[in-house]
Amino acid sequence: VDPDNPTTKSYDQLKKILCDHFEPAPAKTLQRYLFSKCDQRNLSIQDYVTELRTIANTCEFTAAEFESRICDQFVAGVVNQTLKKKLLGEANLTLATPVAKAVSEEKSAREAN
């Protein structure tokens, strides 16, 4: 099989071919694995949510599942065990609810010190 002659391709087509070759998209399975292992560690709540969103953008989640997957992983990976227990007991969480509660608790803890 003969390869295509580069002179028959536009600049944009050649650029895409080279980018796809040298910077392939990360494997969806790997990205979803990394997403499932993402926890708060020593990150602030806002930094943790940002990291979750960044990784989730590479996971190819459908639009319908995107926010709920981030919400679920947020709860699973949050460091504050008391907060985690409260959140696990709530029905129909949306991402805004646990993030707001976590930010409030983080702020209270900071002010208490």
Side-chain angles (χ1 to χ4, degrees), residues 80 102-113:
N80 183 326
V103 167
S104 176
E105 290 216 9
E106 187 177 66
K107 183 179 177 185
S108 296
R110 218 179 15 248
E111 289 173 356
N113 290 330

Side-chain angles (χ1 to χ4, degrees), residues 30-66:
L30 172 62
Q31 292 308 113
R32 288 185 177 198
Y33 170 79
L34 294 174
F35 179 79
S36 71
K37 295 297 180 189
C38 186
D39 60 20
Q40 186 183 3
R41 300 176 308 278
N42 60 348
L43 299 172
S44 71
I45 294 300
Q46 292 301 330
D47 288 345
Y48 178 41
V49 173
T50 299
E51 184 170 337
L52 285 173
R53 286 187 177 282
T54 301
I55 298 171
N57 281 327
T58 64
C59 291
E60 299 180 32
F61 295 136
T62 65
E65 68 181 335
F66 188 82

Side-chain angles (χ1 to χ4, degrees), residues 4 10 23 29 40 48 69 74 93 96 104:
D4 290 340
S10 71
E23 296 176 19
T29 304
Q40 186 183 3
Y48 178 41
R69 294 291 297 261
F74 176 86
L93 279 180
S104 176

